[in-house]
Amino acid sequence: MDNLNTNRIGEVIDTSTTDFTAQSYQLYNTPALGALVKTGEGENTIYAAVYHATTSSIEPGRKPIARGQDAASEEDIYAQSPQLSKLLRSEFSCLILGYRGQGQICHWLPPRPAHIHSFTETCTPEETAEFSRSFGFLNILINSELPVPADEVTAACLRQLAAAAPDKQSFLVKAGKELARILPGQYQRLKVILERIQL
């Protein structure tokens, strides 16, 4: 166990050119909305932002039932029914924002999708800072068609990336200027995103 990567959080179970879904190794242990994650290795490393997460039954069509009427806490429910952790699973879906090719990070879609069973890891602050040195990935975020509002995911992603930037305020100011360039004439969208990244 000592040689396992401690950033490893899950495994790809569904994949395409534009996104992938990973199952968490631990129930409810999904990355935050907008967090930068990666899958693959070396020149096949793909970077993506988390845009959706779910926890549900492992059996399609079979919903969990309420169990806590007499329990003092949520923890008590799981302690009294330890099998629950085996009957539920947490998954998170990730929008691909770029990949590593020829030694550098490219902010466009990779030539091939991730592999099923590829490990998914959280990016270190150093990797996150390297990925966000430029804002080429913002076009993918802004123009994505997701089951959740793309503006919310964009703002969440920028907040996550700013946390790893050497100068958070400077990063957010540059991101705001880039968004203004990408969204000409879309004042309301720009306003919503800027409010959520707290410029």
Side-chain angles (χ1 to χ4, degrees), residues 66-84:
R67 297 171 179 266
Q69 185 172 7
D70 299 320
S73 68
E74 186 179 318
E75 289 76 19
D76 286 348
I77 297 173
Y78 286 90
Q80 292 165 8
S81 304
Q83 76 279 8
L84 285 178

Side-chain angles (χ1 to χ4, degrees), residues 13-92:
I13 58 170
D14 191 27
T15 181
S16 76
T17 299
T18 56
D19 63 355
F20 62 84
T21 297
Q23 182 177 337
S24 295
Y25 288 133
Q26 294 181 15
L27 195 63
Y28 301 118
N29 189 28
T30 59
L33 179 69
L36 188 68
V37 298
K38 66 178 183 179
T39 190
E41 297 177 339
E43 291 294 303
N44 296 316
T45 301
I46 294 172
Y47 296 93
V50 175
Y51 70 82
H52 195 238
T54 62
T55 296
S56 60
S57 170
I58 61 172
E59 296 183 35
R62 185 172 181 180
K63 286 187 176 181
I65 59 172
R67 297 171 179 266
Q69 185 172 7
D70 299 320
S73 68
E74 186 179 318
E75 289 76 19
D76 286 348
I77 297 173
Y78 286 90
Q80 292 165 8
S81 304
Q83 76 279 8
L84 285 178
S85 61
K86 302 294 184 188
L87 298 175
L88 301 172
R89 66 179 173 188
S90 295
E91 300 174 355
F92 53 98

Side-chain angles (χ1 to χ4, degrees), residues 152-168:
E152 293 288 343
V153 178
T154 299
C157 183
L158 288 173
R159 290 194 302 269
Q160 294 283 330
L161 296 177
D167 183 338
K168 177 180 177 181

Side-chain angles (χ1 to χ4, degrees), residues 12 18 23 43 47 58 72 85 93 106 115 128 134 137 157 171 176:
V12 173
T18 56
Q23 182 177 337
E43 291 294 303
Y47 296 93
I58 61 172
S85 61
S93 298
C106 304
H115 293 177
T128 302
S134 69
F137 60 90
C157 183
F171 175 86

Side-chain angles (χ1 to χ4, degrees), residues 36-38 45-48 95-100 105 123 131:
L36 188 68
V37 298
K38 66 178 183 179
T45 301
I46 294 172
Y47 296 93
L95 177 69
I96 296 172
L97 300 179
Y99 68 100
R100 186 176 293 279
I105 291 176
C123 290
F131 180 85

